[in-house]
Amino acid sequence: MRILKFGGTSVANAENIKRVLEIVNQKSEQDQLVVVVSALSKVTDLLQAAATKAASNDESFKDIVAEIEKKHLDTLKALIPVSEQSSLLSHVKRIINHLETLLDGCFLLGELSNRTSDTILSFGELLSSYIIAEALKQTNKNSGYKDSRELIKTNNHFGKAAVNFEVTNQLIRDYFSTNESQVVIMPGFIASSLDGIITTLGRGGSDYTAAILAGALNAKGLEIWTDVNGMYTANPKIVKQAHPIATISYQEAMELSHFGAKVLYPPTIQPVLRKNIPIVIKNTFEPESEGTYISNQVSSKDTIVKGISHIDNISLITLEGSGMIGVSGSSKRLFEVLSNESINVIFITQASSEHSICIGILNADAENAEQAINGAFEVEITQNKVDPCIVEKNLCIIALVGENMKNHQGLSGRMFSTLGKNNVNIRAIAQGASERNISVVINERDVKKALNTLHENFFEENTKQLNLFVMGVGNVGEKFIEQIHNQRKFLKENLKINVRVIALSNSRKMIFDEDGISLKEWQSALENGKTANKDTFIERAKELNLRNSIFVDITANATVSETYEEFLKQSIAVVTCNKIACSSEYANYKKLKNLSRQFNAPFLFETNVGAGLPIIDTVKNLIASGDKVHKIQAVLSGSLNFIFNNFDKDNSFLDVVKEAGVQGFTEPDPKIDLSGIDVARKILILIRESGYEMDIDAIANESFMPAESLATTTNEAFFESLKKHSAHFESIYDEALSKDSRLKYVAQFENGKASVGLQFIPKDHPFYNLEGKDNIVLFYTDRYVDQPLLIKGAGAGAAVTASGIFADVIRIGNN
């Protein structure tokens, strides 16, 4: 004998039921079967809604009844030949009429008792099992039907009745000892009391029905057929990378199902566990898939953590006070009052000081529990020995489950560290003595991030998913996206980093895709996106609340730089080539650095100085290792170096500046480069990273530009002024030529003073042969006294700047 149960979308409609019948007929060739079926998909919810509306004197319950009737009649007509439909349709209509009579009674009385509710809800399974049994007879003549109410006997606890196993097991054995049908169809969920009143076994009780039958009949196995390929490592609707668990123990399955793994109703395991009857969870729509095999076998080679599960809509209730310390019976009184109110406690933790007890219950029970607890401890509350209970709603319980967890150290720390790095605050913690389960209570808004982060850490070969929110897709931004697209496979295979671009924005448009924007066609997608809005962009990033989120600023916009604080406070890392934030007031610079540490959110800006050159990282490492920087000399503008390397008698200053813009070496507004402010910002950042406090106005800016040029407000006017003052630039070039020197725009820092300006560099100076757009930095430190530490290389250009930004992103991924 083998027990099969089909529910949910497996019996959603006629087409799906045909799949069920194919599986049943195939299985019946090898074994005698009992097939337990649930109500058609969503029908139990419709019955509940109809009952509630009827009891509220809402006549729209009749519309719901009409919908239920149509759903079943349509299903029957699609499964049964026309010639045989007449009597069957009449039978279904009689059942529907009976249902409507009960609902009319609720409407007239204006009430809905638990007993009546059970009777009304039973109609879903009664209708579905009748239709499926009749449909099976069309292809399998050796099949029959048995009403579960005649075999499964319970007490009168309506809504979730307790089974009388002694009577039930005997009735089941007696019936099947004389049954000759190869297949017997039975309704799940429903039963009856010893005095014949209809009861139900709780929502999801069809699984339980099947398990009761399996236990009573010592079945070969129990198969739960659903619409997924077994129990998953996490909820696949929330965690895309979740995968089916091949084998799992009874205890692990019970823990996962208790903590929200909806594929299996928690009480299902008890009747088969004692008999060691294996449970297999299979997919009706992919019957060839292995599914999940549940037994008492635990392999020492199995993964440490078998699954991650969660329960939504949780309230945390805390009872605390000095009057509880050393006083026996406080816990008993608390749980007794909850039991009297039929409130199920899902989570318990108590401080070792006995000062407080914390419990987790469903949100729906919170108000009732609060009143009951405060009432029970009214005397102590009045005497200020105990505080009124504290209720926190909209929380969630997340549980790590695994039989082998007890044999491994550090799992709790690994779990808490993983959540902490993503700013997921843990409200309460519980771990049983069996160490099979570690449970934490967190805010409901963090559920998706928490589940994905934990799953990534425990199940995905340490593959880390980075979620990027990119603002600014000009020359550098385009190269950055191109590099991500080209390197994604390499990063995933070699560095175990999965980079996804979740959002893109330019000055006009923005787009979001929680599953990752396709980097093949991002330009057209962005062009058709929504109107760009900085505030909306920030709020959307917060709202998505994704793990390992990184805000990438590829602009030169001051307003954008002012948003970093908001991102860091949400534990969203910031990577930027925008120099404005780190060269702003020193107090703001320090605040951003402190926020980065406080919220464990990296704040990286390597490309602020030297594009892709490792200049800032080198300074950080020097300081961290105990060295001290005394002097800095540098050519920090690739654009100015390009300009002065190409400016000569044959190429006018104006033409070279324009060419630098075409090559992508200058900022969109070339005055930023030529005024020296860009270089001043860069040297300021190096000074600050070297451990000195300084603001930009303390840096002497010795400009070589005419005042009229710097006063222009548009690029066109600026270029026109360069043309007008061409003689000025030519005179500077002639002076350099006469001194046998080359023009370099130099930044320097020494003895607490800093300056930037154009200098005549002689042939014996390290800067003399600096070609093209290269940068060079000389650091004089305690360790580098006679010969400075020298860093040299390309310091401008879209590709190298993009690579520097990309390197910062990867650095976060490797952290």
Side-chain angles (χ1 to χ4, degrees), residues 12-42:
N13 50 47
E15 182 180 350
N16 291 0
I17 291 172
K18 288 176 182 177
R19 290 175 179 264
V20 169
L21 298 180
E22 287 176 13
I23 293 168
V24 169
N25 283 327
Q26 183 181 9
K27 292 273 184 180
S28 67
E29 293 175 2
Q30 289 131 8
D31 293 297
Q32 192 175 9
L33 306 179
V34 180
V35 178
V36 177
V37 297
S38 298
L40 301 188
S41 183
K42 307 299 182 184

Side-chain angles (χ1 to χ4, degrees), residues 492-790:
K492 200 165 186 178
E493 292 178 355
N494 294 276
L495 299 183
K496 302 301 180 185
I497 297 174
N498 179 25
V499 180
R500 302 191 313 168
V501 177
I502 304 300
L504 286 171
S505 177
N506 57 24
S507 59
R508 297 177 296 104
K509 298 284 187 177
M510 64 181 184
I511 51 172
F512 285 82
D513 188 334
E514 190 176 349
D515 296 322
I517 295 167
S518 170
L519 300 186
K520 287 183 178 179
E521 302 167 350
W522 68 268
Q523 289 100 331
S524 59
L526 183 58
E527 196 59 38
N528 295 312
K530 295 181 178 180
T531 302
N533 183 290
K534 173 179 62 69
D535 294 332
T536 304
F537 189 95
I538 295 170
E539 287 308 311
R540 183 73 174 128
K542 291 180 184 177
E543 179 187 311
L544 285 172
N545 199 24
L546 299 175
R547 69 195 187 280
N548 306 322
S549 291
I550 305 173
F551 173 61
V552 183
D553 178 14
I554 316 180
T555 74
N557 189 292
T559 306
V560 175
S561 74
E562 293 167 1
T563 66
Y564 299 168
E565 180 179 347
E566 294 186 62
F567 286 109
L568 294 172
K569 284 181 176 178
Q570 297 296 319
S571 290
I572 297 175
V574 174
V575 169
T576 179
C577 62
N578 187 342
K579 308 168 194 69
I580 295 174
C582 288
S583 60
S584 61
E585 291 183 2
Y586 185 78
N588 185 59
Y589 161 81
K590 287 299 293 182
K591 179 172 70 173
L592 294 176
K593 300 275 280 190
N594 290 335
L595 287 173
S596 173
R597 286 189 288 270
Q598 180 183 348
F599 292 94
N600 197 33
F603 175 40
L604 302 181
F605 43 90
E606 184 65 66
T607 48
N608 276 197
V609 181
L613 294 176
I615 298 173
I616 292 176
D617 197 48
T618 300
V619 175
K620 286 180 178 178
N621 291 334
L622 285 175
I623 302 304
S625 66
D627 204 354
K628 184 174 179 62
V629 176
H630 300 290
K631 178 180 175 181
I632 304 171
Q633 284 186 308
V635 173
L636 295 173
S637 174
S639 54
L640 286 175
N641 200 43
F642 174 87
I643 289 168
F644 286 113
N645 278 335
N646 288 278
F647 172 41
D648 55 27
K649 291 291 185 182
D650 300 320
N651 298 286
S652 72
F653 191 76
L654 170 61
D655 290 340
V656 175
V657 170
K658 284 185 174 180
E659 180 60 24
V662 171
Q663 295 287 341
F665 299 152
T666 65
E667 299 287 350
D669 178 0
K671 279 203 308 298
I672 295 174
D673 297 279
L674 292 164
S675 67
I677 186 63
D678 189 58
V679 176
R681 286 171 177 161
K682 291 177 180 178
I683 190 66
L684 177 64
I685 293 167
L686 288 183
I687 292 167
R688 288 174 171 179
E689 290 297 301
S690 298
Y692 296 93
E693 181 176 341
M694 184 178 284
D695 278 312
I696 194 104
D697 55 12
I699 299 175
N701 187 341
E702 301 156 1
S703 178
F704 69 93
M705 292 290 294
E708 182 185 337
S709 298
L710 295 176
T712 57
T713 57
T714 66
N715 283 357
E716 291 76 11
F718 178 68
F719 290 141
E720 189 61 35
S721 76
L722 295 186
K723 183 177 181 181
K724 177 180 176 181
H725 292 280
S726 59
H728 167 74
F729 301 112
E730 288 170 6
S731 68
I732 296 174
Y733 175 77
D734 289 340
E735 185 179 352
L737 204 60
S738 68
K739 293 180 177 178
D740 200 18
S741 299
R742 300 184 74 175
L743 292 168
K744 300 294 176 186
Y745 199 88
V746 178
Q748 53 191 22
F749 168 75
E750 188 175 10
N751 297 325
K753 295 182 179 180
S755 65
V756 296
L758 193 61
Q759 294 185 14
F760 299 104
I761 303 298
K763 285 185 177 180
D764 59 350
H765 196 284
F767 294 171
Y768 185 85
N769 291 312
L770 193 64
E771 299 296 333
K773 59 184 183 298
D774 284 0
N775 281 189
I776 187 170
V777 184
L778 307 179
F779 289 107
Y780 296 83
T781 74
D782 284 348
R783 296 173 189 156
Y784 295 90
V785 181
D786 298 325
Q787 291 294 325
L789 174 63
L790 185 151

Side-chain angles (χ1 to χ4, degrees), residues 416-433:
F416 304 151
S417 174
T418 300
L419 294 175
K421 284 180 179 178
N422 276 276
N423 199 30
V424 177
N425 185 38
I426 297 173
R427 295 291 302 109
I429 302 166
Q431 181 171 10

